Amino acid sequence: MGTAEPPKVNAAGGPGPATAARLGLIACHDCGLLSRFQAGGRLYCPRCGGVLHARKPNSEGRSWALVLAAILFYIPANVLPVTHTTYLGSTQSDTILSGVYYFMASGSWHIALIIFVASIVVPALKILILAFLLVSVRRRSDWRPEERTRLYHITELIGRWSMVDVYVVTVMVALLKLGALANVDAGVGIVFFGAVVVITMFAANSFDPRLIWDAMEKRS
Amino acid sequence: MTTQDRTQEPILEELPAAVVRPPRRFGLVWLIPLLAALIGLWLAIKAIHDAGPTVTITFESAEGLEAGKTRIKYKDVVVGKVESIRLSDDLSQVTVTADLQKEMEDYLTETTRFWVVRARVAAGEVSGLSTLFSGAYIGFEPGTNGAPAETFVGLEKPPSVTIDTPGSQYNLRAQRLGSLDIGSPVYYRQIKVGQVVGYAMTADGSAVDIQIFVQAPHNEQVRRNTRFWETSGLNVTLDTSGVRIDTESVMSLLIGGISFEIPANQPSEEAATEGDVFTLYESRDQVEAPVYAQRNYMLAYFNESVRGLNKGAPVEFSGIKVGEVVDVRLEFDEKKLAFRIPVLMAIEPERIAVKGDLKINRAELVSKLVAKGLRAQLRTGVLLTGQLYVNLSMFPDLPPQQVAHTGSYPVIPTVPGAAEEITAGIAAFVGRLEKLPVEEIGSELSASLRQIRQLIGSEDTVAAIAALRQSLAELQRFTATLNDTSVPQMNAALTQLRQVLARTESAVASADGLMSGNTALTYDLQQMMQELAKAGRAISVLADYLQRHPESLVFGKEEPKP
């Protein structure tokens, strides 16, 4: 969320804290010029011609779309195998969950925990948090906006760490090429898993946290 | 965002107004969930569509099987996977549930077979070694006929012949199984063309039925008159023709096998049809022995030892087998208090080519032949082992004999065998030696000696010796006179003779010089001889050439080719 927060100027006529939106102003992302809000269609910066928007355009809709796509991809990502491991002639296909189970069964519970958290909990959590934020924004909820904003920050922050799994598979596939002795091939599942991670990152990115606070302003 | 707000803030008035353009169309972002939905839907449909049949297979043991891992393979292509392994309710068996690919659905019938492929090192075959590393898998053979099925009983051993192997199955009936087993090879001209696929006792338990499978195209070699025989292990035969060792291959030496062939003396008949029943002979000899339908039995009584004459020993006529010994036993005649050995022989008349049509009947023929001198004789086949055989031969010098009959068998008179002849000869010689009047000879000899002694000691002898001495003295005198008178004359004669010889020598020497020296005569002679020799050689070359090219007399000599 690289957008500049509107300066917290005390607005003379408004009951709440001053925001650019309340003052009817809009900042240009490209050159930083403040310009007055105009009703009508799409707004452009009078100085540099950049696209102006008070809130991320169609933030809710985009986020919803991406969250939905992430949910849809989350299913094959967990059902389909992510690796095909050939060891001494026998090929074994593993999904993320069976990998976690394998590591747990073989005693490496810490590795199992890392994989479980990074590959199963985090994407699911991201999707859930985003869905929750979107629902709350839609319902114009004023429930703990600060905590919700923090939740959003966490979502944005941890999103990239889910890619660990994709990297692990990529490295393993590249390294373990010992012919019939041992071989690792990537399964289709990892593609969907990568898609989930990337899409949730985009979803988080397209969500505008200012929407959380807009509801507060309307109330106050 | 109301107009009032703006008017209230004069600083903000100075800010430029944003440029307004008409809004754009609906966001493309919704394509992403749409795409995701489509992919998800496609995956779901594919999963449902590809979901193959689930089958239940029972095995004796789940050794090497692993739920979720063990594959089901057909021709080494994975067609399914074991999903779960459970014990049956009574704990006697293992129930394996497996998912198969959808394509296999049509091949799951009553005849479908499943078996566990493990590393197997059995007699004659080593299979499934790859499973040592990769773990066992379940082999699958599609069924082609029968009602569809979902529950199967797994085989404990891989079937040796899969249904897609072209070939035919035949049944062999044998007295015993021998060293055959499922998988034992079947050879044709020592090439492995099939194998034993099963065996079972016949319903009444009197024989063993062995099913063999012969691969295409060798199954065409199985004709209706094809003979099968067992090549189990090593077959060592010791008979009158020496030691024979028969084996088909080292493999069959170890594990046994079956060979088949059309008997050499028979034309091949039409191809056998699948499932035909053949007799399994115990050895190649049994197969190769031509089957003669007609057998005539004859008896021969031998007085000599028949040690070395076995059942099956050949009966030969002038070295050609015409039959075999069927029975040898010892008979005791109470009245005569005598033993005799009847040897029953089977003569196969089909072995004998008959010139013209045989008109007289058998009994008459035998009696006629015996009258002409047909006799049986024991002979030694192999000196080392003392194997005997019966030799039938014509002895025209022997006094004619009548054919006796014992039961229905004609009895061929016998003559002593070769060994017996020698023994008899020696015995006769010894007998004659015994008859010599040794004592008489001795007494006569001593009488003669006595007479000699008397002769020496008599007066006549003494007188004769004195006379002899006198004569010798006279002879001495005569020699002395001869010395004195005749010798000088003889000397002169000898001198003259020497002179003549010397002269002759010089004459010969001059003749020699004439012949051997470098005189013109000798040279001419030599030249002439050489010329003659050359001429002779030329004539011989010409003759040689003419012999090879007689046409040159007419056409002239051929130009030598470059």
Side-chain angles (χ1 to χ4, degrees), chain A residues 78-104:
Chain A
N78 280 289
V79 170
L80 294 177
V82 288
T83 52
H84 300 292
T85 319
T86 310
Y87 179 65
L88 292 176
S90 72
T91 304
Q92 189 185 344
S93 298
D94 278 310
T95 60
I96 295 169
L97 210 60
S98 75
V100 170
Y101 176 78
Y102 168 77
F103 278 115
M104 217 159 74

PDB file of all heavy atoms in Angstrom, chain A residues 78-104:
ATOM      1  N   ASN A  78      -4.220 -28.272  -2.730  1.00  0.00           N
ATOM      2  CA  ASN A  78      -4.061 -29.207  -1.617  1.00  0.00           C
ATOM      3  C   ASN A  78      -4.440 -30.641  -1.967  1.00  0.00           C
ATOM      4  O   ASN A  78      -4.025 -31.566  -1.289  1.00  0.00           O
ATOM      5  CB  ASN A  78      -4.897 -28.732  -0.420  1.00  0.00           C
ATOM      6  CG  ASN A  78      -4.174 -27.648   0.331  1.00  0.00           C
ATOM      7  OD1 ASN A  78      -3.179 -27.912   0.998  1.00  0.00           O
ATOM      8  ND2 ASN A  78      -4.642 -26.420   0.182  1.00  0.00           N
ATOM      9  N   VAL A  79      -5.210 -30.805  -3.025  1.00  0.00           N
ATOM     10  CA  VAL A  79      -5.650 -32.156  -3.387  1.00  0.00           C
ATOM     11  C   VAL A  79      -4.665 -32.809  -4.343  1.00  0.00           C
ATOM     12  O   VAL A  79      -4.352 -33.991  -4.220  1.00  0.00           O
ATOM     13  CB  VAL A  79      -7.067 -32.086  -4.001  1.00  0.00           C
ATOM     14  CG1 VAL A  79      -7.446 -33.427  -4.608  1.00  0.00           C
ATOM     15  CG2 VAL A  79      -8.077 -31.682  -2.938  1.00  0.00           C
ATOM     16  N   LEU A  80      -4.173 -32.020  -5.277  1.00  0.00           N
ATOM     17  CA  LEU A  80      -3.271 -32.592  -6.277  1.00  0.00           C
ATOM     18  C   LEU A  80      -1.849 -32.710  -5.710  1.00  0.00           C
ATOM     19  O   LEU A  80      -1.471 -31.930  -4.841  1.00  0.00           O
ATOM     20  CB  LEU A  80      -3.256 -31.710  -7.528  1.00  0.00           C
ATOM     21  CG  LEU A  80      -4.586 -31.654  -8.281  1.00  0.00           C
ATOM     22  CD1 LEU A  80      -4.474 -30.700  -9.452  1.00  0.00           C
ATOM     23  CD2 LEU A  80      -4.983 -33.045  -8.769  1.00  0.00           C
ATOM     24  N   PRO A  81      -1.111 -33.691  -6.219  1.00  0.00           N
ATOM     25  CA  PRO A  81       0.252 -33.866  -5.721  1.00  0.00           C
ATOM     26  C   PRO A  81       1.157 -32.714  -6.147  1.00  0.00           C
ATOM     27  O   PRO A  81       1.033 -32.192  -7.255  1.00  0.00           O
ATOM     28  CB  PRO A  81       0.705 -35.182  -6.364  1.00  0.00           C
ATOM     29  CG  PRO A  81      -0.161 -35.347  -7.549  1.00  0.00           C
ATOM     30  CD  PRO A  81      -1.466 -34.717  -7.209  1.00  0.00           C
ATOM     31  N   VAL A  82       2.034 -32.330  -5.229  1.00  0.00           N
ATOM     32  CA  VAL A  82       2.974 -31.263  -5.551  1.00  0.00           C
ATOM     33  C   VAL A  82       4.322 -31.835  -5.987  1.00  0.00           C
ATOM     34  O   VAL A  82       5.071 -31.182  -6.698  1.00  0.00           O
ATOM     35  CB  VAL A  82       3.172 -30.301  -4.359  1.00  0.00           C
ATOM     36  CG1 VAL A  82       1.951 -29.460  -4.174  1.00  0.00           C
ATOM     37  CG2 VAL A  82       3.512 -31.055  -3.094  1.00  0.00           C
ATOM     38  N   THR A  83       4.618 -33.063  -5.544  1.00  0.00           N
ATOM     39  CA  THR A  83       5.893 -33.669  -5.970  1.00  0.00           C
ATOM     40  C   THR A  83       5.653 -35.126  -6.351  1.00  0.00           C
ATOM     41  O   THR A  83       4.814 -35.807  -5.773  1.00  0.00           O
ATOM     42  CB  THR A  83       6.946 -33.650  -4.848  1.00  0.00           C
ATOM     43  OG1 THR A  83       6.370 -34.222  -3.680  1.00  0.00           O
ATOM     44  CG2 THR A  83       7.467 -32.276  -4.577  1.00  0.00           C
ATOM     45  N   HIS A  84       6.417 -35.545  -7.340  1.00  0.00           N
ATOM     46  CA  HIS A  84       6.486 -36.970  -7.665  1.00  0.00           C
ATOM     47  C   HIS A  84       7.906 -37.396  -7.343  1.00  0.00           C
ATOM     48  O   HIS A  84       8.838 -37.041  -8.051  1.00  0.00           O
ATOM     49  CB  HIS A  84       6.184 -37.214  -9.140  1.00  0.00           C
ATOM     50  CG  HIS A  84       4.826 -36.742  -9.546  1.00  0.00           C
ATOM     51  ND1 HIS A  84       3.678 -37.340  -9.093  1.00  0.00           N
ATOM     52  CD2 HIS A  84       4.439 -35.726 -10.345  1.00  0.00           C
ATOM     53  CE1 HIS A  84       2.636 -36.712  -9.606  1.00  0.00           C
ATOM     54  NE2 HIS A  84       3.067 -35.723 -10.365  1.00  0.00           N
ATOM     55  N   THR A  85       8.058 -38.141  -6.278  1.00  0.00           N
ATOM     56  CA  THR A  85       9.394 -38.544  -5.868  1.00  0.00           C
ATOM     57  C   THR A  85       9.641 -39.970  -6.324  1.00  0.00           C
ATOM     58  O   THR A  85       8.887 -40.883  -5.998  1.00  0.00           O
ATOM     59  CB  THR A  85       9.520 -38.492  -4.337  1.00  0.00           C
ATOM     60  OG1 THR A  85       8.859 -37.323  -3.894  1.00  0.00           O
ATOM     61  CG2 THR A  85      10.967 -38.459  -3.918  1.00  0.00           C
ATOM     62  N   THR A  86      10.694 -40.150  -7.097  1.00  0.00           N
ATOM     63  CA  THR A  86      11.083 -41.494  -7.511  1.00  0.00           C
ATOM     64  C   THR A  86      12.314 -41.868  -6.716  1.00  0.00           C
ATOM     65  O   THR A  86      13.338 -41.187  -6.775  1.00  0.00           O
ATOM     66  CB  THR A  86      11.404 -41.522  -9.006  1.00  0.00           C
ATOM     67  OG1 THR A  86      10.316 -40.906  -9.683  1.00  0.00           O
ATOM     68  CG2 THR A  86      11.563 -42.937  -9.504  1.00  0.00           C
ATOM     69  N   TYR A  87      12.159 -42.924  -5.952  1.00  0.00           N
ATOM     70  CA  TYR A  87      13.298 -43.374  -5.163  1.00  0.00           C
ATOM     71  C   TYR A  87      13.511 -44.855  -5.420  1.00  0.00           C
ATOM     72  O   TYR A  87      12.638 -45.663  -5.116  1.00  0.00           O
ATOM     73  CB  TYR A  87      13.041 -43.105  -3.682  1.00  0.00           C
ATOM     74  CG  TYR A  87      14.158 -43.565  -2.800  1.00  0.00           C
ATOM     75  CD1 TYR A  87      15.424 -42.976  -2.888  1.00  0.00           C
ATOM     76  CD2 TYR A  87      13.966 -44.591  -1.893  1.00  0.00           C
ATOM     77  CE1 TYR A  87      16.454 -43.406  -2.094  1.00  0.00           C
ATOM     78  CE2 TYR A  87      15.001 -45.027  -1.089  1.00  0.00           C
ATOM     79  CZ  TYR A  87      16.247 -44.431  -1.196  1.00  0.00           C
ATOM     80  OH  TYR A  87      17.268 -44.865  -0.402  1.00  0.00           O
ATOM     81  N   LEU A  88      14.619 -45.194  -6.033  1.00  0.00           N
ATOM     82  CA  LEU A  88      14.951 -46.579  -6.350  1.00  0.00           C
ATOM     83  C   LEU A  88      13.827 -47.269  -7.114  1.00  0.00           C
ATOM     84  O   LEU A  88      13.441 -48.385  -6.802  1.00  0.00           O
ATOM     85  CB  LEU A  88      15.284 -47.352  -5.084  1.00  0.00           C
ATOM     86  CG  LEU A  88      16.576 -46.941  -4.380  1.00  0.00           C
ATOM     87  CD1 LEU A  88      16.747 -47.717  -3.099  1.00  0.00           C
ATOM     88  CD2 LEU A  88      17.773 -47.131  -5.274  1.00  0.00           C
ATOM     89  N   GLY A  89      13.316 -46.565  -8.086  1.00  0.00           N
ATOM     90  CA  GLY A  89      12.364 -47.215  -8.972  1.00  0.00           C
ATOM     91  C   GLY A  89      10.908 -47.066  -8.579  1.00  0.00           C
ATOM     92  O   GLY A  89      10.036 -47.286  -9.387  1.00  0.00           O
ATOM     93  N   SER A  90      10.648 -46.729  -7.323  1.00  0.00           N
ATOM     94  CA  SER A  90       9.237 -46.590  -6.958  1.00  0.00           C
ATOM     95  C   SER A  90       8.890 -45.110  -6.894  1.00  0.00           C
ATOM     96  O   SER A  90       9.586 -44.314  -6.266  1.00  0.00           O
ATOM     97  CB  SER A  90       8.973 -47.251  -5.606  1.00  0.00           C
ATOM     98  OG  SER A  90       9.550 -46.481  -4.593  1.00  0.00           O
ATOM     99  N   THR A  91       7.847 -44.781  -7.584  1.00  0.00           N
ATOM    100  CA  THR A  91       7.435 -43.386  -7.636  1.00  0.00           C
ATOM    101  C   THR A  91       6.340 -43.140  -6.622  1.00  0.00           C
ATOM    102  O   THR A  91       5.418 -43.939  -6.470  1.00  0.00           O
ATOM    103  CB  THR A  91       6.935 -43.033  -9.038  1.00  0.00           C
ATOM    104  OG1 THR A  91       7.963 -43.331  -9.956  1.00  0.00           O
ATOM    105  CG2 THR A  91       6.596 -41.567  -9.140  1.00  0.00           C
ATOM    106  N   GLN A  92       6.491 -42.028  -5.934  1.00  0.00           N
ATOM    107  CA  GLN A  92       5.499 -41.695  -4.931  1.00  0.00           C
ATOM    108  C   GLN A  92       5.065 -40.264  -5.158  1.00  0.00           C
ATOM    109  O   GLN A  92       5.897 -39.379  -5.383  1.00  0.00           O
ATOM    110  CB  GLN A  92       6.140 -41.838  -3.548  1.00  0.00           C
ATOM    111  CG  GLN A  92       5.138 -41.730  -2.434  1.00  0.00           C
ATOM    112  CD  GLN A  92       5.832 -41.749  -1.094  1.00  0.00           C
ATOM    113  OE1 GLN A  92       6.994 -42.123  -1.006  1.00  0.00           O
ATOM    114  NE2 GLN A  92       5.119 -41.334  -0.078  1.00  0.00           N
ATOM    115  N   SER A  93       3.761 -40.053  -5.131  1.00  0.00           N
ATOM    116  CA  SER A  93       3.244 -38.701  -5.327  1.00  0.00           C
ATOM    117  C   SER A  93       2.786 -38.162  -3.986  1.00  0.00           C
ATOM    118  O   SER A  93       2.121 -38.870  -3.224  1.00  0.00           O
ATOM    119  CB  SER A  93       2.083 -38.729  -6.313  1.00  0.00           C
ATOM    120  OG  SER A  93       2.552 -39.205  -7.551  1.00  0.00           O
ATOM    121  N   ASP A  94       3.184 -36.938  -3.743  1.00  0.00           N
ATOM    122  CA  ASP A  94       2.834 -36.350  -2.447  1.00  0.00           C
ATOM    123  C   ASP A  94       2.087 -35.046  -2.634  1.00  0.00           C
ATOM    124  O   ASP A  94       2.469 -34.203  -3.448  1.00  0.00           O
ATOM    125  CB  ASP A  94       4.106 -36.075  -1.642  1.00  0.00           C
ATOM    126  CG  ASP A  94       4.598 -37.323  -0.938  1.00  0.00           C
ATOM    127  OD1 ASP A  94       3.764 -37.956  -0.265  1.00  0.00           O
ATOM    128  OD2 ASP A  94       5.779 -37.665  -1.089  1.00  0.00           O
ATOM    129  N   THR A  95       1.030 -34.909  -1.848  1.00  0.00           N
ATOM    130  CA  THR A  95       0.382 -33.612  -1.760  1.00  0.00           C
ATOM    131  C   THR A  95       1.065 -32.876  -0.613  1.00  0.00           C
ATOM    132  O   THR A  95       1.915 -33.443   0.073  1.00  0.00           O
ATOM    133  CB  THR A  95      -1.120 -33.775  -1.464  1.00  0.00           C
ATOM    134  OG1 THR A  95      -1.243 -34.449  -0.234  1.00  0.00           O
ATOM    135  CG2 THR A  95      -1.803 -34.584  -2.557  1.00  0.00           C
ATOM    136  N   ILE A  96       0.677 -31.641  -0.436  1.00  0.00           N
ATOM    137  CA  ILE A  96       1.301 -30.869   0.640  1.00  0.00           C
ATOM    138  C   ILE A  96       1.032 -31.539   1.980  1.00  0.00           C
ATOM    139  O   ILE A  96       1.935 -31.763   2.791  1.00  0.00           O
ATOM    140  CB  ILE A  96       0.755 -29.427   0.643  1.00  0.00           C
ATOM    141  CG1 ILE A  96       1.171 -28.730  -0.647  1.00  0.00           C
ATOM    142  CG2 ILE A  96       1.257 -28.673   1.848  1.00  0.00           C
ATOM    143  CD1 ILE A  96       0.487 -27.414  -0.870  1.00  0.00           C
ATOM    144  N   LEU A  97      -0.214 -31.940   2.159  1.00  0.00           N
ATOM    145  CA  LEU A  97      -0.595 -32.515   3.437  1.00  0.00           C
ATOM    146  C   LEU A  97       0.107 -33.851   3.685  1.00  0.00           C
ATOM    147  O   LEU A  97       0.562 -34.124   4.796  1.00  0.00           O
ATOM    148  CB  LEU A  97      -2.115 -32.697   3.467  1.00  0.00           C
ATOM    149  CG  LEU A  97      -2.739 -32.587   4.864  1.00  0.00           C
ATOM    150  CD1 LEU A  97      -2.458 -31.224   5.462  1.00  0.00           C
ATOM    151  CD2 LEU A  97      -4.232 -32.844   4.780  1.00  0.00           C
ATOM    152  N   SER A  98       0.230 -34.670   2.611  1.00  0.00           N
ATOM    153  CA  SER A  98       0.890 -35.960   2.805  1.00  0.00           C
ATOM    154  C   SER A  98       2.375 -35.756   3.080  1.00  0.00           C
ATOM    155  O   SER A  98       3.004 -36.537   3.791  1.00  0.00           O
ATOM    156  CB  SER A  98       0.688 -36.857   1.582  1.00  0.00           C
ATOM    157  OG  SER A  98       1.499 -36.435   0.509  1.00  0.00           O
ATOM    158  N   GLY A  99       2.927 -34.648   2.538  1.00  0.00           N
ATOM    159  CA  GLY A  99       4.318 -34.326   2.845  1.00  0.00           C
ATOM    160  C   GLY A  99       4.479 -33.982   4.309  1.00  0.00           C
ATOM    161  O   GLY A  99       5.407 -34.444   4.985  1.00  0.00           O
ATOM    162  N   VAL A 100       3.540 -33.176   4.792  1.00  0.00           N
ATOM    163  CA  VAL A 100       3.563 -32.825   6.213  1.00  0.00           C
ATOM    164  C   VAL A 100       3.460 -34.085   7.056  1.00  0.00           C
ATOM    165  O   VAL A 100       4.233 -34.293   8.011  1.00  0.00           O
ATOM    166  CB  VAL A 100       2.397 -31.865   6.538  1.00  0.00           C
ATOM    167  CG1 VAL A 100       2.256 -31.687   8.044  1.00  0.00           C
ATOM    168  CG2 VAL A 100       2.611 -30.527   5.877  1.00  0.00           C
ATOM    169  N   TYR A 101       2.554 -34.951   6.653  1.00  0.00           N
ATOM    170  CA  TYR A 101       2.357 -36.200   7.398  1.00  0.00           C
ATOM    171  C   TYR A 101       3.622 -37.047   7.365  1.00  0.00           C
ATOM    172  O   TYR A 101       4.025 -37.619   8.363  1.00  0.00           O
ATOM    173  CB  TYR A 101       1.186 -36.963   6.779  1.00  0.00           C
ATOM    174  CG  TYR A 101       0.954 -38.297   7.413  1.00  0.00           C
ATOM    175  CD1 TYR A 101       0.307 -38.396   8.653  1.00  0.00           C
ATOM    176  CD2 TYR A 101       1.380 -39.459   6.793  1.00  0.00           C
ATOM    177  CE1 TYR A 101       0.119 -39.620   9.245  1.00  0.00           C
ATOM    178  CE2 TYR A 101       1.194 -40.690   7.379  1.00  0.00           C
ATOM    179  CZ  TYR A 101       0.551 -40.772   8.610  1.00  0.00           C
ATOM    180  OH  TYR A 101       0.364 -41.978   9.203  1.00  0.00           O
ATOM    181  N   TYR A 102       4.255 -37.060   6.178  1.00  0.00           N
ATOM    182  CA  TYR A 102       5.471 -37.868   6.017  1.00  0.00           C
ATOM    183  C   TYR A 102       6.559 -37.383   6.967  1.00  0.00           C
ATOM    184  O   TYR A 102       7.190 -38.172   7.673  1.00  0.00           O
ATOM    185  CB  TYR A 102       5.955 -37.789   4.572  1.00  0.00           C
ATOM    186  CG  TYR A 102       7.333 -38.350   4.365  1.00  0.00           C
ATOM    187  CD1 TYR A 102       7.542 -39.727   4.327  1.00  0.00           C
ATOM    188  CD2 TYR A 102       8.438 -37.506   4.245  1.00  0.00           C
ATOM    189  CE1 TYR A 102       8.801 -40.247   4.161  1.00  0.00           C
ATOM    190  CE2 TYR A 102       9.711 -38.020   4.082  1.00  0.00           C
ATOM    191  CZ  TYR A 102       9.895 -39.383   4.042  1.00  0.00           C
ATOM    192  OH  TYR A 102      11.145 -39.895   3.884  1.00  0.00           O
ATOM    193  N   PHE A 103       6.744 -36.042   7.000  1.00  0.00           N
ATOM    194  CA  PHE A 103       7.802 -35.504   7.855  1.00  0.00           C
ATOM    195  C   PHE A 103       7.492 -35.741   9.324  1.00  0.00           C
ATOM    196  O   PHE A 103       8.375 -36.021  10.128  1.00  0.00           O
ATOM    197  CB  PHE A 103       7.994 -34.009   7.588  1.00  0.00           C
ATOM    198  CG  PHE A 103       8.854 -33.751   6.395  1.00  0.00           C
ATOM    199  CD1 PHE A 103       8.350 -33.147   5.269  1.00  0.00           C
ATOM    200  CD2 PHE A 103      10.191 -34.145   6.403  1.00  0.00           C
ATOM    201  CE1 PHE A 103       9.145 -32.929   4.167  1.00  0.00           C
ATOM    202  CE2 PHE A 103      10.996 -33.925   5.301  1.00  0.00           C
ATOM    203  CZ  PHE A 103      10.460 -33.313   4.184  1.00  0.00           C
ATOM    204  N   MET A 104       6.216 -35.650   9.617  1.00  0.00           N
ATOM    205  CA  MET A 104       5.821 -35.857  11.010  1.00  0.00           C
ATOM    206  C   MET A 104       6.064 -37.315  11.397  1.00  0.00           C
ATOM    207  O   MET A 104       6.616 -37.610  12.453  1.00  0.00           O
ATOM    208  CB  MET A 104       4.355 -35.514  11.196  1.00  0.00           C
ATOM    209  CG  MET A 104       4.079 -34.858  12.520  1.00  0.00           C
ATOM    210  SD  MET A 104       2.543 -33.960  12.437  1.00  0.00           S
ATOM    211  CE  MET A 104       1.361 -35.292  12.463  1.00  0.00           C
TER     212      MET A 104
END
